[in-house]
Amino acid sequence: MVALFPLKSVIIIIIIIMATVEDVLESVTQSQASKYKTIEVQKDIEPQLDLGNLLTVDQNPLDLKKLRGDKEAYLKSQARDNTQLLFNAIWKLPTERVEEAICVKLPETTTVLPREKPIPKAKLQTKWEQYALLKGIQKRKKGRMVWDEEAKDWRPRWGYKRANDETKDWVIEVPGNADPNEDQFEKRMKAKKERVAKNELQRLRNIARGTKSKVPGVGLTPTEKPSKEEVGLALHLAKKSTASLGKFTEKLPKEKEAKHVGKKRKFEPAIGDFKKEKEQQLNIINVMENKKPKMDITKAVNRVMTEVDQEASSDDRRKRAGKVKNRRGPPRKKGSGGFGKKGSGGFGKKGKAGKGKGAKGMGGKGKGKGKGR
């Protein structure tokens, strides 16, 4: 026997269940609405949006009452509203999908922002780049892989397992004009080191030319004309490069010591001459106890002589200044001989004491009184 429910009872149960579900959904919606705010934001003054810099400038005045009540919550709400307006404007831009991601191309910026770092300067050209630009030489990019005739394979132009690697040769043919006892392997390695050093020197020169400074280095540069001091310094460094640090290196005839070279400090031994140490300590105590300082007689005499010379020179200057002031008076009378060549007027080459005639005077021609030398 199977008990069957009436149709009306089933309908009532379904209606009750649907009403319960609607109440639950409504309560969930209300709770979510209270938790998440709407994307529509209303402002009295429309904020300025700079989508290129992702910047929002809100010029609306702050509510002082809310700000003083709960400062953090009020500022967070204002920041949330301005950010929402920025995202609303971004979603209005045309979008595109790139590898399962929705991307937006931002427009040009409208607000000029200061740079964090200065504008990079243009890189200075090297001497080769300047020459290539002058001659119209264009740089051609070389391929990395080249054909190796010995291995019959494509290999890198440089680096590990490079093509035509000369360092892998186990035998080298001696040239006809070369010394048969010369090590060709060592000669090849030396030539390579010289090429590397030359390239490094050129690189340093390019940097020094750009910074307007001298090329750093030790010893002599191969192309510049070294001075006498640089030659002496290079010679000193070459002598110190031995295992004994130049202790047993013989000096050249009439060789002088290199200038501007540091000297090694010398320290007294920890255990040595106790008598000498005692004398040094006693000398220090005597200097400390002696109240009268030591006087350098020569230095004191020189200082006194300098002061006397300065006083004498100052007196001479004062006398000369007085003479110049006395000379400034009424103009000379007509007929005064002044400084004549001949005659008794003024200081002449030849003259007689008493009255006489001045042949040529600075004051004029005529009679003059004076004494001649």
Side-chain angles (χ1 to χ4, degrees):
M1 299 289 294
V2 180
L4 298 175
F5 289 98
L7 184 59
K8 291 183 179 180
S9 301
V10 174
I11 294 173
I12 292 171
I13 292 171
I14 292 171
I15 293 172
I16 293 172
I17 293 171
M18 292 179 64
T20 306
V21 171
E22 289 178 356
D23 294 338
V24 171
L25 291 175
E26 186 177 357
S27 62
V28 170
T29 305
Q30 291 177 359
S31 63
Q32 289 181 352
S34 61
K35 185 177 180 181
Y36 301 105
K37 295 183 178 180
T38 179
I39 62 173
E40 296 180 359
V41 180
Q42 299 295 331
K43 294 276 187 178
D44 296 335
I45 301 175
E46 192 69 22
Q48 298 178 3
L49 300 176
D50 184 3
L51 299 181
N53 291 321
L54 298 178
L55 176 66
T56 305
V57 181
D58 188 3
Q59 298 178 351
N60 289 281
L62 298 175
D63 192 346
L64 298 179
K65 186 176 181 180
K66 293 181 180 180
L67 183 64
R68 292 169 183 171
D70 192 352
K71 183 178 180 180
E72 293 293 332
Y74 179 69
L75 292 178
K76 285 182 179 179
S77 64
Q78 292 295 320
R80 180 261 164 198
D81 293 344
N82 292 329
T83 307
Q84 185 64 57
L85 288 173
L86 182 62
F87 275 97
N88 293 344
I90 290 173
W91 281 107
K92 292 179 182 179
L93 297 174
T95 60
E96 60 180 0
R97 185 176 293 274
V98 179
E99 295 181 0
E100 299 181 358
I102 299 176
C103 300
V104 176
K105 187 176 181 181
L106 299 176
E108 294 293 332
T109 60
T110 57
T111 304
V112 180
L113 298 178
R115 289 179 59 90
E116 179 186 1
K117 296 179 181 179
I119 299 174
K121 297 180 181 179
K123 188 177 180 181
L124 296 177
Q125 293 181 337
T126 61
K127 294 186 75 174
W128 164 250
E129 290 175 347
Q130 295 175 0
Y131 177 78
L133 182 63
L134 181 64
K135 297 296 182 179
I137 302 174
Q138 295 182 358
K139 186 178 180 181
R140 292 181 296 177
K141 188 175 180 181
K142 296 181 181 180
R144 186 174 182 274
M145 305 299 290
V146 294
W147 179 257
D148 190 354
E149 292 291 342
E150 295 182 1
K152 302 299 180 181
D153 191 12
W154 292 93
R155 289 191 174 183
R157 188 184 296 273
W158 61 85
Y160 179 65
K161 290 185 178 181
R162 62 181 179 272
N164 304 320
D165 189 3
E166 296 179 351
T167 60
K168 300 298 182 181
D169 295 340
W170 62 274
V171 62
I172 301 176
E173 183 180 358
V174 179
N177 56 352
D179 186 4
N181 297 323
E182 185 180 11
D183 190 353
Q184 298 297 325
F185 292 96
E186 184 180 357
K187 183 179 179 182
R188 181 178 289 180
M189 293 298 295
K190 186 178 180 180
K192 182 179 178 181
K193 289 181 180 180
E194 289 179 355
R195 290 196 302 269
V196 173
K198 182 181 178 182
N199 293 335
E200 180 66 15
L201 181 62
Q202 293 293 342
R203 187 183 69 86
L204 293 176
R205 280 179 176 170
N206 291 329
I207 295 174
R209 191 182 298 108
T211 57
K212 296 182 180 180
S213 59
K214 293 184 178 180
V215 180
V218 177
L220 302 176
T221 52
T223 55
E224 295 180 357
K225 293 183 178 179
S227 61
K228 188 176 180 181
E229 294 183 356
E230 291 176 347
V231 173
L233 179 60
L235 179 61
H236 175 75
L237 294 174
K239 287 186 175 182
K240 291 287 185 179
S241 62
T242 58
S244 61
L245 298 178
K247 186 176 181 181
F248 304 104
T249 306
E250 297 180 358
K251 289 187 177 181
L252 298 174
K254 298 182 181 180
E255 181 182 353
K256 297 181 180 180
E257 294 291 337
K259 296 181 180 180
H260 309 292
V261 178
K263 296 182 180 180
K264 189 176 180 180
R265 295 185 298 172
K266 296 182 180 180
F267 300 95
E268 295 293 334
I271 300 174
D273 191 358
F274 294 101
K275 185 177 180 180
K276 187 177 180 181
E277 185 178 356
K278 182 180 178 181
E279 291 178 358
Q280 290 178 354
Q281 298 296 334
L282 289 174
N283 291 334
I284 293 172
I285 294 172
N286 292 333
V287 172
M288 293 174 64
E289 291 181 353
N290 190 8
K291 295 182 180 180
K292 295 181 180 179
K294 293 182 180 180
M295 184 175 65
D296 190 353
I297 298 174
T298 305
K299 188 175 181 180
V301 171
N302 292 335
R303 182 174 293 181
V304 172
M305 292 175 65
T306 304
E307 292 178 356
V308 171
D309 292 340
Q310 289 178 355
E311 290 179 0
S313 61
S314 62
D315 292 340
D316 292 341
R317 290 172 186 170
R318 291 171 187 169
K319 291 178 181 179
R320 292 173 184 172
K323 289 181 179 180
V324 171
K325 289 181 180 178
N326 294 332
R327 286 178 184 176
R328 294 176 182 176
R332 295 178 181 179
K333 295 180 180 180
K334 187 176 181 181
S336 59
F339 296 93
K341 292 184 179 179
K342 294 181 181 180
S344 61
F347 296 96
K349 291 183 179 180
K350 294 180 182 179
K352 298 180 181 180
K355 297 181 179 180
K357 294 182 180 180
K360 290 182 180 180
M362 292 179 66
K365 295 181 181 179
K367 297 181 178 180
K369 295 180 179 181
K371 292 183 178 182
R373 289 185 179 179

